[in-house]
Amino acid sequence: MKKLFSLITLMVFLVSCGGTKSYKIDGNIAIDGLKDGDTISLGYTKDGAEYTPEAYAVIKDGKFNFAGNTENCKFYFLVNHLTEEPLAIVFLEGGNISADINNEKSVISGTTSNDLFTQLQEEFSAKVMQLQEKQMLLYLDTTLTEEQREGIVKELETLSEEASNTAKEFINNNIETMPALFMLVQFANMFENEELNALIEKIPEENKDSENNCFFSTLLQIQEQRNNPQDFSDYFNALEENADSTAAAE
């Protein structure tokens, strides 16, 4: 059951570009706690942990704008600068990016990577809503018979499998993009070792840059652990020998 619902948590919250290209982000925002005069930052999480703001924009008439240049497609966040709360994921690449952020959801579009990722989110949303509804029914409806509960569990398994297949198909079809690299880190457990190794080999050089994300390095760690599982036999043998020695001394 834990595996079934990990997908729900994940979703409650992709084309490589070569050479330096200009980008522009035009945003509309209507978020509780944010008002005209407040600041939004655009930045990334260095090594996957420390957030590093790179540019700032002040909200005016419910709008904000960013402009600059980027060499490769990068994984960035739009963040409430005061609270450092992430507002949306942005794949920063050359082109005109639109950001529509409100209390219900955030839609980032206008460039290939952002359109791809937004489409994926929309495909997931219906499945995630169904998963949540079935999950709530399973846990809150005390009138369900055991047979009905078993039926709901089977429905959850089917929905979870469909959602996982959607993610897997997206990764396989778009592995040369940054959004697919991001998704592969989240769903690496769905792939056999040979499949994972083959996907990693297809990742282009420009998406291996770890300055503003740790996706590729994380995949290499997963690959290393799975291809060379650590042998703890010596450690446990030493514990047994120590226990035997202690027992003999007593």
Side-chain angles (χ1 to χ4, degrees), residues 57-236:
V58 176
I59 301 173
K60 182 178 180 181
D61 298 327
K63 301 180 183 298
F64 63 91
N65 307 96
F66 290 95
N69 297 301
T70 183
E71 292 184 0
N72 302 314
C73 184
K74 298 179 178 180
F75 183 84
Y76 271 52
F77 292 95
L78 291 171
V79 172
N80 180 337
H81 181 59
L82 180 62
T83 64
E84 293 193 352
E85 176 186 1
L87 301 172
I89 290 172
V90 177
F91 290 93
L92 196 66
E93 59 188 350
N96 296 320
I97 301 171
S98 297
D100 188 4
I101 303 172
N102 56 54
N103 291 317
E104 297 298 323
K105 63 178 181 179
S106 299
V107 177
I108 312 299
S109 60
T111 61
T112 305
S113 293
N114 289 296
D115 288 344
L116 271 174
F117 193 66
T118 295
Q119 181 181 350
L120 176 67
Q121 289 178 309
E122 290 175 352
E123 290 177 4
F124 262 100
S125 63
K127 293 183 176 64
V128 170
M129 287 183 64
Q130 292 179 64
L131 280 165
Q132 290 175 325
E133 290 172 0
K134 295 294 182 182
Q135 182 185 11
M136 294 295 290
L137 181 64
L138 183 64
Y139 286 118
L140 299 181
D141 191 341
T142 57
T143 67
L144 293 173
T145 65
E146 188 62 31
E147 183 178 355
Q148 289 173 323
R149 294 177 67 84
E150 290 177 358
I152 293 174
V153 169
K154 289 181 179 178
E155 290 182 68
L156 284 168
E157 291 174 346
T158 298
L159 287 169
S160 179
E161 184 178 359
E162 290 176 354
S164 296
N165 287 339
T166 296
K168 193 169 185 177
E169 181 179 0
F170 176 82
I171 293 167
N172 279 319
N173 292 341
N174 301 282
I175 188 56
E176 294 183 355
T177 72
M178 182 64 75
L181 174 56
F182 166 68
M183 292 297 292
L184 181 56
V185 173
Q186 318 303 321
F187 289 94
N189 64 310
M190 295 193 308
F191 297 91
E192 299 294 335
N193 286 3
E194 295 78 9
E195 294 177 308
L196 181 63
N197 294 342
L199 285 168
I200 289 176
E201 289 182 2
K202 294 179 181 179
I203 296 172
E205 287 298 319
E206 57 263 34
N207 287 349
K208 297 178 182 179
D209 176 19
S210 61
E211 179 182 354
N212 73 309
N213 73 75
C214 62
F215 301 145
F216 184 70
S217 60
T218 298
L219 280 177
L220 292 183
Q221 292 174 14
I222 294 173
Q223 182 187 44
E224 175 66 21
Q225 292 170 0
R226 291 174 61 170
N227 290 343
N228 301 287
Q230 187 171 355
D231 184 3
F232 289 98
S233 58
D234 291 343
Y235 171 75
F236 289 114

